[in-house]
Amino acid sequence: MRQKERRPGQKSGTGPASGRRGDERGNSRPPKPANRPAAPQQAPREPASAPAALERPLMERTGDRPPERVPIILESLGAGDFHLIDSGNGEKLEQYGPYRIIRPEGQALWKPSLPKHVWDKVDAAFTGDTDEEGTGRWRFPKEALGETWPLNLLGVDFLGRFTSFRHVGVFPEQIVHWTWMKQQVEAAGRPLKVLNLFGYTGVASLVAAAAGAEVTHVDASKKAIGWARENQAMSGLEKAPIRWICEDAMKFILREERRGNTYDIILTDPPKFGRGPNGEVWHLFEHLPVMLDICREILSPKAVGLVLTAYSIRASFYSIHELMRETMRGAGGVVESGELVIREAGLDGNTPGRALSTSLFSRWVPK
């Protein structure tokens, strides 16, 4: 289900398989993406169509829980065409390729470090509803800009997009996970199978494929899948072994479990709330335990990692950390959890400043 903001979609219709943090990822999350999942408080709590996984009980796990590494702070100073310039007063000033952009950021409680005239010289600023689930519009102070523009991260070319849910088609805080995944794929000595759930616009899938992995990308949003295919063509990876699956993520992994299919790396970035293409309802706190349980079952015997990221939830990272340890009971390895942060890098992209927390994560690795 969920499906990574996780894009410029609509608020409703986001499927768990798509959509990310209340952004546009998942539904039909902007495509994050396609239409972002509707706000939990506005959606009926009684699912008209409950996830099929609810009929699947949790496995009885035995053995020791994996050792832990906490807290882990995975930090990015930026990469490729992205860096965080400054933040403050509930906003963040970012550089995406040629464009300087302002977007809302509720966790930027401090005052900006850079003077007002720097913030005034922006190419685009998101205005309107500043709630993660809300919609708004972009203001272009200098001149009207097109919907898309070229970007590059970790050697992969893709399109940035101005979406109505404030996102721009990529979640740069995930760079740390993508870099880890790229290193694992390149060092494996064999083609690793990667499953990207709630894959959004496909940047993670393309990074994995460019490194030599066989990738299965799942998102419930047709728009998100379409954008991902555009990015595939732009990056010159049309012949890369990527399966693009437009489906509810829970339904997909349940079928993979029945078929006995397995993966070496699983990335899952579910939204707080979402709807699948056929009305399936996803609530993270209700359905995440079963989703992780199924993910464990479809990890290969020589699995390299299971990565969970959680956005826009009122919880400590310990909540998903302990869930991951229970899920991986008896599997050995280690569970490391904490937060993903982006550090301000200044106008030049190389002057470290304050760290901005973006999300919680938990990652199981075999050693």
Side-chain angles (χ1 to χ4, degrees):
M1 309 187 84
R2 167 221 192 205
Q3 268 157 246
K4 200 38 228 229
E5 297 131 4
R6 49 253 40 126
R7 321 116 151 150
Q10 294 113 315
K11 191 191 258 188
S12 57
T14 303
S18 72
R20 219 193 203 136
R21 354 166 166 177
D23 14 342
E24 336 148 294
R25 248 184 160 181
N27 90 248
S28 308
R29 137 204 205 237
K32 346 285 209 284
N35 302 335
R36 236 355 242 208
Q41 62 268 39
Q42 299 174 344
R45 290 295 292 180
E46 322 79 44
S49 175
L54 292 183
E55 301 174 5
R56 176 202 182 276
L58 288 171
M59 301 286 286
E60 289 292 333
R61 304 293 180 187
T62 60
D64 296 333
R65 297 192 302 165
E68 60 184 340
R69 296 181 188 140
V70 290
I72 300 292
I73 305 300
L74 296 182
E75 175 183 311
S76 172
L77 191 64
D81 288 339
F82 165 81
H83 71 269
L84 174 63
I85 300 172
D86 193 16
S87 61
N89 293 341
E91 295 181 316
K92 54 188 173 184
L93 179 62
E94 303 166 292
Q95 191 75 42
Y96 284 95
Y99 298 147
R100 189 179 298 179
I101 294 172
I102 292 177
R103 295 191 292 159
E105 179 46 71
Q107 297 203 72
L109 304 176
W110 43 83
K111 293 182 179 180
S113 295
L114 297 176
K116 182 176 181 296
H117 70 81
V118 174
W119 284 71
D120 288 341
K121 295 179 180 179
V122 297
D123 299 284
F126 186 86
T127 62
D129 193 334
T130 58
D131 183 81
E132 281 287 347
E133 311 288 343
T135 58
R137 65 185 182 84
W138 289 89
R139 176 174 59 87
F140 304 107
K142 296 180 180 178
E143 60 181 337
L145 300 177
E147 179 190 6
T148 66
W149 73 99
L151 288 172
N152 181 285
L153 283 180
L154 301 182
V156 167
D157 294 315
F158 62 98
L159 292 173
R161 289 183 186 274
F162 293 112
T163 79
S164 62
F165 288 81
R166 89 169 72 178
H167 303 296
V168 294
V170 63
F171 298 97
E173 61 272 16
Q174 294 282 339
I175 290 170
V176 286
H177 284 326
W178 301 342
T179 299
W180 168 84
M181 174 181 63
K182 183 174 185 289
Q183 292 169 345
Q184 301 305 311
V185 172
E186 292 175 342
R190 61 186 174 93
L192 295 186
K193 294 179 64 177
V194 173
L195 173 61
N196 185 14
L197 297 174
F198 309 104
Y200 192 23
T201 54
V203 180
S205 297
L206 296 174
V207 169
E214 298 175 4
V215 182
T216 298
H217 173 109
V218 181
D219 197 292
S221 166
K222 289 183 179 180
K223 183 179 290 187
I225 294 292
W227 290 5
R229 286 184 175 276
E230 284 185 71
N231 289 336
Q232 180 183 26
M234 184 172 180
S235 62
L237 293 170
E238 295 96 329
K239 295 183 179 180
I242 304 176
R243 290 195 300 158
W244 303 103
I245 309 293
C246 185
E247 187 175 6
D248 174 89
M250 290 288 264
K251 286 187 174 179
F252 177 80
I253 60 176
L254 276 168
R255 188 169 64 251
E256 294 295 88
E257 181 183 31
R258 291 194 298 269
R259 293 176 174 176
N261 292 334
T262 60
Y263 299 87
D264 300 300
I265 295 176
I266 299 178
L267 305 179
T268 182
D269 183 11
K272 178 171 55 178
F273 175 85
R275 288 187 183 276
N278 296 311
E280 303 89 347
V281 175
W282 163 269
H283 290 290
L284 186 138
F285 286 105
E286 296 174 20
H287 305 146
L288 182 60
V290 178
M291 168 170 276
L292 274 188
D293 202 49
I294 300 169
C295 285
R296 171 171 175 177
E297 290 302 300
I298 61 176
L299 283 173
S300 72
K302 296 183 179 180
V304 175
L306 169 59
V307 180
L308 165 68
T309 308
Y311 291 87
S312 300
I313 63 172
R314 294 181 179 181
S316 161
F317 74 84
Y318 268 109
S319 61
I320 59 175
H321 172 72
E322 297 296 359
L323 174 60
M324 183 69 82
R325 292 184 74 204
E326 287 296 329
T327 300
M328 302 308 294
R329 185 183 285 275
V334 63
V335 172
E336 47 193 25
S337 308
E339 297 189 23
L340 300 185
V341 305
I342 295 179
R343 189 165 294 279
E344 295 169 349
L347 283 170
D348 62 2
N350 293 300
T351 305
R354 296 161 300 205
L356 185 64
S357 177
T358 64
S359 54
L360 313 179
F361 83 93
S362 185
R363 180 170 68 189
W364 172 86
V365 291
K367 60 180 180 179

